[in-house]
Amino acid sequence: MQNEQRPAGDEYEISGEFLDLLIAPHWHALAPALQDALVGVDDTAGPVLDIGSGSGRALPTIDAVLPDAEIWASEPARTLRSILLATVAASPRLRDKVTVIDHTPLAAALPDSLSAVVAINVIGHFTPTDRGRLWDLLAERLAPGGRMVLNLQPPSTPEPVPETAPSSVHIGRRRYEGRGRAEVAGPASVTWRMTYRVYHDEVLQAEHQVDYDWWVLSEETLRSETTARGLRTTTVGPSDLAMYAIDRARQA
């Protein structure tokens, strides 16, 4: 049996094999909520930026509701970016309108105007300092009538999280399983330890453990940080998704 553990910072080299498979069921709820949140955005005001695009799960939804918008898909992790490129290339429509960039939005040369920004399952990768830079970028480049949509993942404060129930997917004779737990890493962060297992005919074939840092963010802090930059944050979608829309605040 193969057993591997990789250091933090290298997590997607391992987890990229499993991530798209295991998050697929969550997108049954995320996709319609994201679609509803983007309705009304002016898709001619600039590209849509998909931050941490991963395998590209958000792209069909963005395209469906904003059909005239160019999409910039930001994915720094090489393994996930390989899957993302394959996803885009396999769709005649997406390959004509999606540009894949290999930097975070803070390091990329972005257009001056963005019609929308999507950040699903990713905001905890930003340190508080970089998160502030992201809000500054939003305040500077989000077009009038534009919108950012993001979700917050638990925990919202630095506290331990017991091991989650496993998620698993069958592909042929193999079953792919993932579970995770978190420990406090500092005053504003936790360290997640993810365990991935591969079974063949229910016989364990491989086990991988991956650690990664996650910067916690509560709704209260989100509202405080965005309000300070002239942005308005509102809840959207079902409450269990912890999804928010960020717009330019109306002038009094």
Side-chain angles (χ1 to χ4, degrees):
M1 182 189 75
Q2 182 183 7
N3 191 308
E4 289 189 66
Q5 183 172 350
R6 296 294 178 94
D10 197 28
E11 61 270 12
Y12 289 113
E13 182 177 340
I14 293 295
S15 61
E17 178 182 355
F18 305 93
L19 194 61
D20 184 71
L21 289 174
L22 297 176
I23 68 170
H26 301 286
W27 275 95
H28 295 318
L30 286 169
L34 174 61
Q35 179 169 324
D36 290 346
L38 290 174
V39 170
V41 167
D42 179 4
D43 58 4
T44 66
V48 177
L49 174 62
D50 184 22
I51 299 176
S53 193
S55 58
R57 284 279 172 181
L59 298 181
T61 300
I62 296 170
D63 179 47
V65 70
L66 302 175
D68 293 328
E70 181 186 359
I71 303 172
W72 288 39
S74 167
E75 182 47 68
R78 185 185 298 272
T79 301
L80 293 180
R81 196 167 63 250
S82 298
I83 304 170
L84 173 61
L85 281 166
T87 299
V88 172
S91 166
R93 180 169 174 82
L94 291 180
R95 69 184 298 158
D96 287 338
K97 66 181 300 183
V98 176
T99 298
V100 175
I101 55 176
D102 58 353
H103 301 293
T104 74
L106 301 179
L110 298 175
D112 291 336
S113 179
L114 297 168
S115 63
V117 177
V118 174
I120 300 298
N121 299 338
V122 73
I123 196 64
H125 284 305
F126 288 81
T127 68
T129 297
D130 284 345
R131 197 170 65 226
R133 293 173 60 201
L134 180 62
W135 307 146
D136 290 338
L137 183 151
L138 200 65
E140 176 186 348
R141 305 203 182 204
L142 190 65
R147 169 169 284 190
M148 179 180 189
V149 182
L150 59 80
N151 66 330
L152 302 184
Q153 294 173 284
S156 60
T157 58
E159 59 188 16
V161 178
E163 188 165 75
T164 60
S167 299
S168 65
V169 175
H170 284 85
I171 303 291
R173 298 179 68 160
R174 293 210 161 190
R175 179 166 65 87
Y176 298 84
E177 178 187 282
R179 62 181 76 200
R181 60 181 175 85
E183 298 293 340
V184 176
S189 65
V190 298
T191 297
W192 277 97
R193 167 157 290 188
M194 305 302 297
T195 301
Y196 300 101
R197 296 189 177 105
V198 182
Y199 296 85
H200 188 101
D201 290 338
E202 294 307 312
V203 177
L204 183 63
Q205 301 294 308
E207 180 176 297
H208 311 279
Q209 288 188 331
V210 179
D211 292 350
Y212 68 89
D213 296 326
W214 189 258
W215 300 90
V216 299
L217 180 60
S218 67
E219 178 180 337
E220 180 181 10
T221 300
L222 173 65
R223 291 182 183 276
S224 175
E225 292 178 353
T226 54
T227 298
R229 292 163 171 86
L231 301 167
R232 178 187 58 186
T233 298
T234 55
T235 57
V236 292
S239 60
D240 61 319
L241 296 181
M243 189 175 284
Y244 298 86
I246 302 175
D247 308 88
R248 289 183 180 275
R250 291 192 179 93
Q251 298 297 320

